[in-house]
Amino acid sequence: MNSYDVAIIGSGPGGYVAAIRCAQLGMKTAIIEKYSTLGGTCLNVGCIPSKALLSSSHHYEEATKHFEEHGIEIPGEIKVNLEKMIGRKQSVVDQTTGGIDFLMKKNKIDVYEGLGSFKDATHIIIEGKDAGEIEAKNIIIATGSKPSNLPFIELDKERIITSTEALKLKEIPKHMIIIGGGVIGLELGQVYYRLGSQVTVVEYMDRILPTMDAGLSKELNKVFKKAKCKMMLSHKVQSVERIGDEVIVKAENKKGELVEFKGDYCLVSVGRRPYTDGLNAEAAGVNINDKGQVDVNDHLQTSASNIYAIGDVIKGAMLAHKAEEEGVFVAETIAGQKPHIDYNLIPGVVYTWPEVAAVGKTEEELKADNVEYKVGQFPFRALGRARASGDIDGFVKILADKVTDEVLGVHMIGARCADLIAEAVTAMEFRASAEDISRMSHAHPTFAEAVKEAALAATEDRALHV
Ligand code: FAD
Ligand code: NAD
């Protein structure tokens, strides 16, 4: 039987990054993945394919709606070849997952294809292509998550679908009804409205992106409404029924009335659930809590002291970069180091256009904590760079402590915010004040100038360009 210092179950961004870091630290490492490709949800059916389709559909929107104003004329009709678009997405996925194969080989990590389940706290049984048993001193559970569903919805995966199917549709829906105005609903909703679908978003809460700063929700809602999407907020879905090629969604509005929506596809995007099916965690003495998550302490150690868990399968945000940080954290902990993660400084990004990004506390959270804060906000439309490219929607908002001026939260919506947020994370890691940011030189003309201007506005209400 092969023996390892560390065995990792699951090869998503949590698992494969943990494997690389363990190998870098000199540990003999194995990774077990039930699918034939590595990379987990993120690389196969999550981050990467959704961003590929967002990019393709963005190009289409630019070509059909914005090229003309730039003086670019394309004779004839501009058409979408969905099959080719989905094919390109798949080749991006294939290249990316292939890259993980390379990294496993480079780092001399043994890869086992098959379902991993615990025999006990140090032995894993593998069922599938590489069937057998391995032994490991330490084990990391990185089994990720799956789409959750509402109890009354039967997902047929043809017309009533999850994000996984929405990433490989064979036709452009005429009318896609999206249940859940969270990250997946909005990213994929934008893909399909750009390609020509009518999109209706049915959201239970009174705003989309309910966990983000309310100002961001409001601004993105405007973008969707401008694109003629129906944004049905405060609507609680009661039933979803398929009749032939038609899908009928019934939801209760604020007044208690039942409202009906008819479409040809219904995307259910109401969150994801931690995935531990088939793991046989109890055989190793690993506790699963009532939310279905693997229970961990501050060291990400489970109730079995040699077994750790990371990523979507434990508490916290279900984000690839959070899983990656935890992978590194556990590898270093096993190696005897004392790593640290500041969960408050894990940014959240929605890759719509305009992009939405945030780090730190929201105004709602600061108010709830009775923290006195000041706000500096700057609109992109006041930037030369934004006007030059035609991306004038959105703003950067900086929240700073009223007394110390320390930056407590940064919330932004606009072009390239997914990348701009890194400056805010860096500043907050170093506990910068708004004045610190405002005194740093930002290249002109760039979108990043909005961060400096918002910092100036927060410091002394002295933004230069408004
Ligand atoms: P996963 O990536 O889910 O990987 C777990 C792996 O474990 C899977 O490959 C699974 O097959 C395997 N596994 C499970 N059980 C076993 C077993 N018993 N034996 C062997 N293998 C097993 N996050 C972002 O940060 N940015 C984004 O842009 C983003 N976009 C997303 C878009 C979509 C459509 C979706 C669905 C998710 C997106 N996410 C995004 C979330 C991101 O994909 C997850 O947070 C991330 O993949 C979690 O990583 P993980 O390693 O914990 O688990
Ligand atoms: P989510 O939690 O972001 O959004 C789910 C939405 O569904 C919420 O707004 C919620 O209020 C709503 N909802 C729940 N029950 C409902 C009901 N009965 N009727 C109507 N609406 C209802 O979940 P998601 O969009 O499915 O994404 C799952 C996870 O994947 C998220 O945690 C997210 O972090 C991750 N993800 C991240 C990215 C990214 O980082 N860009 C992209 C996609 C997914």
Side-chain angles (χ1 to χ4, degrees):
M1 189 190 308
N2 290 336
S3 289
Y4 295 93
D5 295 315
V6 186
I8 296 151
I9 309 177
S11 72
Y16 85 73
V17 167
I20 294 172
R21 189 71 187 115
C22 285
Q24 285 176 342
L25 290 164
M27 293 182 261
K28 192 179 174 204
T29 306
I31 192 161
I32 304 149
E33 170 55 55
K34 69 176 183 168
Y35 291 123
S36 56
T37 55
L38 302 177
T41 305
C42 176
L43 273 59
N44 290 281
V45 290
C47 324
I48 300 302
S50 58
K51 267 81 260 180
L53 292 183
L54 276 160
S55 293
S56 297
S57 60
H58 193 182
H59 287 314
Y60 177 63
E61 187 177 54
E62 288 289 303
T64 50
K65 301 228 164 89
H66 302 296
F67 273 13
E68 216 180 327
E69 75 203 51
H70 287 271
I72 304 167
E73 289 168 9
I74 300 178
E77 199 190 344
I78 304 170
K79 285 197 285 193
V80 171
N81 181 334
L82 186 67
E83 194 183 344
K84 202 164 173 185
M85 197 180 277
I86 300 277
R88 174 192 178 271
K89 173 222 72 173
Q90 196 52 45
S91 69
V92 172
V93 167
D94 295 344
Q95 280 166 33
T96 315
T97 58
I100 308 299
D101 291 335
F102 164 78
L103 291 174
M104 295 300 105
K105 281 197 193 92
K106 183 184 159 205
N107 287 284
K108 300 190 173 46
I109 296 159
D110 287 350
V111 177
Y112 293 89
E113 185 185 327
L115 182 83
S117 65
F118 284 102
K119 182 177 173 193
D120 57 37
T122 50
H123 293 84
I124 301 167
I125 297 165
I126 300 160
E127 286 171 77
K129 184 168 161 271
D130 298 324
E133 188 177 327
I134 62 169
E135 182 184 44
K137 285 189 210 121
N138 299 284
I139 296 173
I140 305 174
I141 302 172
T143 50
S145 63
K146 291 275 173 204
S148 31
N149 191 12
L150 299 173
F152 49 83
I153 300 180
E154 200 182 314
L155 294 164
D156 64 18
K157 301 199 174 176
E158 288 173 7
R159 299 267 162 188
I160 305 174
I161 59 176
T162 70
S163 54
T164 303
E165 295 75 50
L167 293 168
K168 53 180 183 196
L169 289 184
K170 294 207 160 35
E171 60 177 0
I172 298 168
K174 291 184 194 67
H175 181 191
M176 179 178 259
I177 303 164
I178 299 177
I179 305 180
V183 202
I184 291 182
L186 297 173
E187 288 187 355
L188 293 176
Q190 186 162 69
V191 166
Y192 284 104
Y193 84 56
R194 284 171 175 166
L195 299 184
S197 304
Q198 164 69 49
V199 166
T200 299
V201 176
V202 187
E203 166 58 48
Y204 174 71
M205 303 294 278
D206 61 1
R207 60 184 175 99
I208 56 170
L209 301 176
T211 56
M212 294 188 91
D213 179 275
L216 303 180
S217 306
K218 203 169 147 197
E219 192 75 11
L220 192 63
N221 203 59
K222 274 197 249 164
V223 172
F224 272 68
K225 280 181 106 165
K226 208 166 140 192
K228 300 197 167 51
C229 296
K230 288 202 180 95
M231 306 304 283
M232 311 308 295
L233 308 177
S234 302
H235 277 67
K236 189 178 176 196
V237 173
Q238 303 282 17
S239 69
V240 178
E241 193 188 357
R242 175 177 172 181
I243 301 173
D245 287 345
E246 194 175 59
V247 181
I248 301 159
V249 176
K250 289 182 185 154
E252 194 184 283
N253 68 15
K254 249 203 293 208
K255 295 180 198 148
E257 299 155 348
L258 208 58
V259 192
E260 192 177 275
F261 308 97
K262 286 185 181 166
D264 52 349
Y265 286 86
C266 172
L267 167 64
V268 182
S269 48
V270 293
R272 294 178 60 86
R273 66 171 177 90
Y275 184 73
T276 53
D277 299 7
L279 193 60
N280 199 21
E282 57 277 18
V286 170
N287 283 347
I288 309 281
N289 67 23
D290 52 12
K291 292 183 186 145
Q293 297 158 333
V294 175
D295 253 339
V296 288
N297 63 17
D298 288 349
H299 303 288
L300 305 184
Q301 202 170 22
T302 69
S303 45
S305 61
N306 67 320
I307 302 178
Y308 298 78
I310 58 174
D312 282 10
V313 78
I314 64 167
K315 64 189 173 185
M318 288 185 165
L319 295 174
H321 43 288
K322 179 252 193 194
E324 290 187 30
E325 292 303 328
E326 291 179 337
V328 170
F329 177 96
V330 166
E332 293 179 352
T333 301
I334 294 171
Q337 299 183 5
K338 295 205 168 6
H340 175 72
I341 298 175
D342 186 345
Y343 284 97
N344 183 45
L345 295 188
I346 292 185
V349 174
V350 188
Y351 294 82
T352 48
W353 197 264
E355 291 176 334
V356 184
V359 64
K361 303 287 184 199
T362 62
E363 285 198 59
E364 293 81 355
E365 285 168 336
L366 292 175
K367 278 181 196 145
D369 293 345
N370 290 319
V371 176
E372 285 204 81
Y373 66 94
K374 47 192 183 161
V375 184
Q377 189 162 320
F378 189 83
F380 278 104
R381 66 177 61 247
L383 285 184
R385 185 69 189 85
R387 283 195 303 276
S389 74
D391 293 301
I392 52 170
D393 288 338
F395 58 84
V396 173
K397 175 160 90 174
I398 294 185
L399 309 175
D401 188 285
K402 202 163 193 172
V403 181
T404 66
D405 196 36
E406 181 177 352
V407 178
L408 302 174
V410 179
H411 307 274
M412 45 174 84
I413 174 166
R416 306 191 191 171
C417 283
D419 296 295
L420 294 187
I421 200 67
E423 177 181 359
V425 177
T426 310
M428 289 175 73
E429 279 286 359
F430 288 96
R431 302 199 60 178
S433 62
E435 187 181 355
D436 288 331
I437 297 178
S438 75
R439 289 191 181 276
M440 294 192 310
S441 174
H442 287 65
H444 174 76
T446 57
F447 290 94
E449 285 174 290
V451 179
K452 179 186 171 103
E453 291 274 10
L456 278 167
T459 315
E460 283 176 349
D461 195 15
R462 60 178 184 91
L464 294 163
H465 291 90
V466 276

